[in-house]
Amino acid sequence: MMFKIDSSALPEAANYDPNFVTENGPRLVIWCYGLCYNTKLVAQAPTKWRDLWDPRFKGKAAINEALLEQTVQMVNMAWNGRTTPIGDDVFQKLTELRPNLLTLWNNAAQAEQLLRQGEIAITPFWNGRVYNLEKEGVPLEFVVPEEGMFVRASLYAMPRNPTNPELMLKYLNFIMGAPRQSQLAEQFFYGSGNRQVQVSSDLARKIVTGVPANMTRAKSEDFAAILDLSLIHISEPTRLRRISYA
């Protein structure tokens, strides 16, 4: 499906951590999924995913429905210390979370509106979204949960048999450069695999992956396992039940 790229065709690849260069292209826009909370509505900062279940957040929390597999893996990590396999107990924990949930959000814009208006005090969210809202004046902070955070990077690639691969390679090499990657960090608070990108300590904190200690809690979502139904150990009643948190 994807066009294979010889890294020699991307001179900027030499400046990258090898983990962020694949045979199909670079992995850019490194973002983190952790806890976001309103610093004016929450007196004691949360430190772990399990804090979402704290009775003090009754009617003040929200979770994402748009990326349900992310939410399910988060619950599994919070209570079982792993992302997969997933069993009935994970859905039981979601049921137990219902009293704390004001709503589910289906996209980032909806979550941002809930946070701007102060309708929710806590939600799982992405670091770049959190700090862009903070830049607007919304009193928010991002937390790397003790149980771990999810870290993703977007693959920039071409489909097989592209019409103009030379132009696309030039484009990829251009956006991989330190000036563009630095802008990504400064304006959107997302990380880069480019080792030439230099940021301040405060910006490194907001990028999250820029702080080495945070990376000890970094987890990758197991997409292969998500698609492997044999690893989803859900009983038939749970499988057939329409899941509703609201």
Side-chain angles (χ1 to χ4, degrees):
M1 293 293 291
M2 308 304 295
F3 181 76
K4 289 190 177 181
I5 299 174
D6 187 330
S7 61
S8 64
L10 298 172
E12 284 290 348
N15 299 319
Y16 272 67
D17 180 319
N19 291 315
F20 294 95
V21 179
T22 78
E23 65 176 9
N24 298 122
R27 298 174 67 228
L28 307 175
V29 192
I30 305 170
W31 47 274
C32 307
Y33 178 81
L35 275 174
C36 165
Y37 74 97
N38 185 308
T39 58
K40 287 190 176 180
L41 298 178
V42 179
Q44 182 180 351
T47 60
K48 51 187 180 296
W49 288 118
R50 288 192 183 196
D51 287 333
L52 281 167
W53 283 258
D54 191 314
R56 64 183 166 133
F57 294 124
K58 184 176 182 179
K60 299 178 181 179
I63 57 175
N64 53 310
E65 186 177 36
L67 292 173
L68 180 59
E69 89 287 344
Q70 203 168 54
T71 299
V72 170
Q73 288 188 92
M74 174 273 287
V75 175
N76 204 23
M77 187 160 56
W79 295 97
N80 295 320
R82 63 177 188 266
T83 56
T84 57
I86 292 168
D88 287 344
D89 61 320
V90 169
F91 291 90
Q92 177 59 37
K93 286 298 179 184
L94 281 169
T95 299
E96 293 171 9
L97 183 60
R98 289 175 66 175
N100 285 8
L101 296 179
L102 174 69
T103 188
L104 305 180
W105 50 267
N106 293 305
N107 55 64
Q110 183 183 8
E112 288 179 351
Q113 191 66 6
L114 291 166
L115 291 164
R116 281 193 190 96
Q117 295 177 343
E119 293 186 62
I120 58 173
I122 188 170
T123 184
F125 213 24
W126 305 295
N127 66 299
R129 297 278 183 170
V130 172
Y131 290 117
N132 267 295
L133 285 171
E134 184 201 45
K135 195 163 56 175
E136 294 178 13
V138 185
L140 301 177
E141 190 54 81
F142 180 87
V143 173
V144 178
E146 292 175 3
E147 302 98 331
M149 63 175 175
F150 292 132
V151 178
R152 282 188 184 183
S154 301
L155 175 65
Y156 281 61
M158 290 182 279
R160 190 182 299 168
N161 301 318
T163 302
N164 195 335
E166 294 80 12
L167 182 60
M168 188 61 184
L169 289 170
K170 288 181 180 179
Y171 170 74
L172 287 176
N173 197 64
F174 175 76
I175 62 174
M176 289 172 70
R180 269 67 61 190
Q181 293 300 300
S182 294
Q183 287 178 319
L184 177 71
E186 293 162 3
Q187 296 181 28
F188 300 103
F189 307 103
Y190 290 128
S192 172
N194 190 319
R195 292 176 292 211
Q196 293 189 334
V197 173
Q198 301 293 318
V199 299
S200 67
S201 58
D202 183 60
L203 185 52
R205 178 183 67 83
K206 293 179 178 180
I207 292 171
V208 182
T209 56
V211 178
N214 289 340
M215 294 307 293
T216 63
R217 299 182 184 178
K219 308 289 184 182
S220 295
E221 293 161 88
D222 191 342
F223 294 105
I226 293 169
L227 296 173
D228 185 351
L229 295 181
S230 69
L231 294 178
I232 304 178
H233 305 304
I234 303 173
S235 65
E236 196 61 21
T238 301
R239 191 183 302 277
L240 296 175
R241 187 178 68 221
R242 181 179 184 275
I243 303 298
S244 175
Y245 310 115

